[in-house]
Amino acid sequence: MFTREKIMENMILRPNIKKIDKEVIKRILLEAGIKNNISHIDEPNVWVMQSHRIYLTDGGRLLLKIGINPDWTDSSTILNQVKATELINSTGIKQPKILSFSENEDKYGFKYILSESQRGTRFCDEYKKASKNEREKLYKSLGQAYSLIHNIKNKWSGVWDGDIHKKKYPIHPADFYRNAEIYGGSNKHLVESNIISDNVFERICLAWDENLSYLKQRPTSLIHISPFPWSIYMIRENEEYSVGGFSALADFMWWDPMSDVAHLIYPPYLNITKEEQDAFISEYDIPLDERAINLYMILNRLCAMSGCYLAPVKSKEANLWIHNEVKSIEKALNKLGF
């Protein structure tokens, strides 16, 4: 579970790109049973991990992700992505397969995951070019896909530690975010930056505290935690849409499915219509909890407005969205009675 402080620290102290010899990449592919020649490899990009997009002479595409920051990529981070992929595929969603991985640095000097490349188009890109009817179809497909994900249940909430049955941290996510983002982190940053008022800051803190025990007794499912429009991939076939996979795999964890729902019907940096929200709800088969959704919507808005999500949008568009979303937070607080 990342915090605003940790994300901003990583932005400042982001490691330099780690140079990986092409012959090393060839060896990793060969050991994974990939015998096709490499056509070319894109220049790597770095965020949580360093990503190399690999193109094969037969037209195949692969993704090699390398851990370069030990604080952000420990052994469980690798194993969690492997487990998340297995769980997603068990629902029938065609998440790109992981071909090989190493959770230690013994062989190559770095941890890594080699997988198939994502199929399809990012949701945000598909949405931009879609008609009104197509956008509603897109949201229906999200309702179907996240119903499958959220119907995988668990008895406890939190991040798993390489094994889906092993809890990594003893703290409940609702307590974690209270400390990290409600009293500190994003909420504190926004009030200190005069984006929200002291009154709104205090109302947010009070709303979370008054509902903390309620959130902690909510049902627990597999959730994405980062179901952003840019971390969901869509496939279009015969005028219909389906989810073809997800990025941000390391974020999958056990928690309240309404946390994802709040993101999906109130997406960051995207203003969707009520018809599109209703399209999602019409295909989503888990009962909605408006109280929980409003609380998570506030949390998600705080994180988005403070820059935690590093959305791929222009700064002018982002600033306009942030300005308008202060009203959305106040509206959600009013609904909650605060």
Side-chain angles (χ1 to χ4, degrees), residues 164-309:
I164 61 173
H165 304 295
K166 183 181 179 184
K167 185 184 290 190
K168 187 169 186 178
Y169 306 114
I171 193 170
H172 189 282
D175 286 317
F176 173 84
Y177 284 112
R178 176 192 182 274
N179 301 331
E181 302 296 358
I182 299 297
Y183 276 86
S186 296
N187 200 20
K188 183 179 179 183
H189 166 74
L190 293 174
V191 72
E192 289 178 347
S193 302
N194 296 315
I195 296 172
I196 63 172
S197 66
D198 289 339
N199 175 261
V200 170
F201 174 88
E202 291 166 4
R203 288 165 65 196
I204 290 169
C205 293
L206 182 60
W208 198 267
D209 281 348
E210 291 291 317
N211 286 280
L212 187 58
S213 60
Y214 179 75
L215 293 178
K216 291 172 71 173
Q217 58 84 36
R218 290 273 309 142
T220 297
S221 300
L222 177 67
I223 70 163
H224 191 176
I225 210 67
S226 299
F228 307 134
W230 54 91
S231 62
I232 305 167
Y233 286 78
M234 305 303 300
I235 296 173
R236 179 172 179 168
E237 294 177 333
N238 301 321
E239 306 303 317
E240 298 298 329
Y241 295 98
S242 62
V243 172
F246 308 97
S247 59
L249 286 177
D251 292 349
F252 275 85
M253 60 182 284
W254 303 120
W255 198 17
D256 185 353
M258 294 304 107
S259 173
D260 275 355
V261 171
H263 266 306
L264 292 160
I265 63 176
Y266 301 108
Y269 301 100
L270 189 64
N271 297 312
I272 71 172
T273 66
K274 184 178 185 304
E275 289 78 13
E276 289 157 12
Q277 292 177 331
D278 289 343
F280 172 88
I281 293 167
S282 71
E283 296 295 329
Y284 185 71
D285 68 2
I286 295 174
L288 299 185
D289 185 308
E290 291 295 332
R291 181 178 172 186
I293 289 172
N294 279 306
L295 288 161
Y296 296 132
M297 180 270 201
I298 292 170
L299 172 63
N300 298 342
R301 281 297 181 269
L302 295 176
C303 294
M305 292 164 65
S306 68
C308 286
Y309 299 153

Side-chain angles (χ1 to χ4, degrees), residues 12-188:
I12 296 169
L13 302 176
R14 181 181 293 185
N16 293 326
I17 289 175
K18 183 180 181 72
K19 183 172 177 56
I20 308 297
D21 192 275
K22 188 176 180 179
E23 292 303 314
V24 172
I25 295 177
K26 284 181 179 179
R27 282 172 55 198
I28 292 173
L29 266 60
L30 282 171
E31 290 176 4
I34 309 298
K35 298 180 180 179
N36 294 306
N37 292 327
I38 295 174
S39 170
H40 71 279
I41 303 172
D42 281 351
E43 287 296 315
N45 60 74
V46 175
W47 177 225
V48 176
M49 298 180 74
Q50 178 172 305
S51 297
H52 299 253
R53 299 190 182 280
I54 303 166
Y55 299 82
L56 305 177
T57 53
D58 69 346
R61 295 180 300 161
L62 305 175
L63 177 65
L64 177 66
K65 295 193 297 183
I66 292 167
I68 56 175
N69 183 338
D71 291 335
W72 280 55
T73 310
D74 59 12
S75 296
S76 67
T77 304
I78 299 293
L79 295 174
N80 289 359
Q81 294 181 67
V82 175
K83 293 298 182 182
T85 298
E86 292 174 358
L87 287 172
I88 295 165
N89 277 310
S90 74
T91 70
I93 297 171
K94 303 297 184 182
Q95 177 69 25
K97 293 180 181 177
I98 291 179
L99 305 173
S100 69
F101 66 91
S102 176
E103 72 274 29
N104 59 60
E105 303 176 358
D106 296 348
K107 191 162 191 177
Y108 294 111
F110 52 80
K111 306 176 186 73
Y112 73 88
I113 294 177
L114 176 68
S115 70
E116 299 171 336
S117 186
Q118 290 284 0
R119 299 181 303 135
T121 308
R122 294 187 309 174
F123 183 91
C124 55
D125 298 324
E126 197 67 48
Y127 182 90
K128 285 178 184 177
K129 63 184 182 182
S131 67
K132 178 181 183 297
N133 183 55
E134 288 169 338
R135 288 179 174 183
E136 290 175 19
K137 285 185 176 182
L138 282 166
Y139 270 93
K140 284 185 177 182
S141 67
L142 289 189
Q144 294 163 2
Y146 278 91
S147 290
L148 296 171
I149 296 295
H150 294 163
N151 270 297
I152 299 177
K153 309 294 186 181
N154 196 52
K155 294 181 179 179
W156 50 266
S157 292
V159 177
W160 61 70
D161 191 8
D163 182 329
I164 61 173
H165 304 295
K166 183 181 179 184
K167 185 184 290 190
K168 187 169 186 178
Y169 306 114
I171 193 170
H172 189 282
D175 286 317
F176 173 84
Y177 284 112
R178 176 192 182 274
N179 301 331
E181 302 296 358
I182 299 297
Y183 276 86
S186 296
N187 200 20
K188 183 179 179 183

